Amino acid sequence: MWNVFSKIYYWGISHVWALAFVENDIQSILQGDSLKYILVKNPYKDRWFADPFIIDVSDTNYTLLVEEFLYELDKGRISKLTVDRRSMEITNSETVLELDTHLSFPAILRCGDDIFIYPENSDAHELALYKYNKVKNKFEKIKRLSNSPLTDAIFCRIRGNLFILSTQLPNPNRDELGIYSLNEKSSLFELEQKYLFKDNVARNGGGVILFQGKMYKVSQNCNRGYGCGLVIHQIIYDEQRNKWNFLEVTRIFPDSKRYDLGIHTLNIYKGHAVIDLKGYHFPYIGKIFSFLRKFYFK
């Protein structure tokens, strides 16, 4: 009987992620205005999508790279989504990278017409670079970037030099950010220095935002749990002293009755912004069980 109840309980509090496109412009987001967004309709009942990055924008469609979490597999893989801009519905989903280990956060690196990604694969204790093969519609591994179990890593380019900003296992959701630079002998990015935030906001929540000559880091707010909100910091780098600073600009929390548990990714491309939102798989049951749990352990 207890096993049956446990299964019902954990299914009741299970969560799901949804995608949404933000109507605010970049300046409005950075100055902390409430987000106005349109939810993307997910026609699939056996999976959810999160960690959205925009590949392209046309008059009719958005093309995204996302973490696709299929319940049957119980792990993430990288998929390419087509979203109809008129209906805001996913019209196509294609798996473009799948490994034995969990994949998520398909951060994009563009070099001319070539598209690369370096998704999180901390379960394999590496960060690798993959190039998009347009003919095969797949991402193919090019090289290893780091031997460390990095979590949601992003590139930051300063005066032509590439750095990687990332947290890592075993404590990816705390206050310590690693700054990695390229070791020319090993051809790998290795830890150069650490930066401590005032609270648990070190983990990245999207790629670097460039706006009016300034750089901004999107961070996950993990103070009340994984991915409960976002924090945006201006990146300040003193090249002469090789000193980094991250000046907090704003904090963003979900403003949705259906998806009120979290928001942990924000990405902007060609003036279009996309986010993900977290909610209970069964909202009413989840909220009841959550209330009872708080009452029981009070």
Side-chain angles (χ1 to χ4, degrees), residues 31-158:
Q31 67 188 21
D33 295 339
S34 296
L35 295 186
K36 299 177 182 179
Y37 50 82
I38 302 174
L39 286 170
V40 173
K41 300 171 187 175
N42 178 6
Y44 303 96
K45 304 302 181 184
D46 60 347
R47 71 199 70 183
W48 48 253
F49 304 100
D51 293 352
F53 286 77
I54 303 173
I55 298 181
D56 199 10
V57 179
S58 71
D59 293 338
T60 56
N61 295 313
Y62 291 111
T63 306
L64 306 176
L65 288 179
V66 298
E67 172 198 348
E68 178 187 49
F69 190 91
L70 194 66
Y71 301 139
E72 184 180 3
L73 296 177
D74 196 31
K75 69 179 179 70
R77 60 189 182 187
I78 306 304
S79 290
K80 185 175 74 171
L81 301 184
T82 302
V83 178
D84 183 278
R85 291 187 61 177
R86 186 173 181 179
S87 66
M88 276 299 172
E89 183 171 2
I90 298 170
T91 58
N92 193 40
S93 174
E94 302 170 281
T95 303
V96 290
L97 181 62
E98 184 170 10
L99 302 176
D100 293 335
T101 48
H102 174 80
L103 290 170
S104 61
F105 202 75
I108 295 174
L109 178 66
R110 303 174 194 271
C111 296
D113 294 331
D114 293 327
I115 295 177
F116 300 83
I117 60 171
Y118 46 106
E120 185 199 325
N121 189 18
S122 56
D123 286 349
H125 283 249
E126 75 163 13
L127 183 72
L129 187 69
Y130 298 82
K131 184 179 180 181
Y132 182 53
N133 185 321
K134 295 180 181 179
V135 176
K136 296 181 180 179
N137 193 30
K138 297 289 183 181
F139 280 91
E140 300 172 338
K141 188 174 181 178
I142 299 299
K143 62 170 294 184
R144 179 177 291 189
L145 296 173
S146 173
N147 289 327
S148 300
L150 303 186
T151 48
D152 296 346
I154 60 168
F155 274 120
C156 181
R157 188 187 298 273
I158 297 179

Side-chain angles (χ1 to χ4, degrees), residues 5-15 289 293:
F5 177 78
S6 296
K7 289 181 180 179
I8 295 174
Y9 171 77
Y10 284 110
W11 182 244
I13 63 169
S14 65
H15 65 259
F289 281 0
R293 180 175 58 183

Side-chain angles (χ1 to χ4, degrees), residues 120-127 146-154 164-180 189-197 201-204 217 220 222 226:
E120 185 199 325
N121 189 18
S122 56
D123 286 349
H125 283 249
E126 75 163 13
L127 183 72
S146 173
N147 289 327
S148 300
L150 303 186
T151 48
D152 296 346
I154 60 168
I164 288 178
L165 311 180
S166 185
T167 54
Q168 68 169 318
L169 298 179
N171 300 307
N173 304 327
R174 296 188 181 176
D175 57 351
E176 184 177 281
L177 178 71
I179 300 168
Y180 298 77
F189 283 83
E190 298 178 356
L191 183 64
E192 180 181 283
Q193 56 183 289
K194 298 178 181 179
Y195 183 92
L196 291 180
F197 289 88
V201 296
R203 186 166 184 164
N204 295 312
K217 176 185 182 297
Q220 294 187 41
C222 296
Y226 170 65

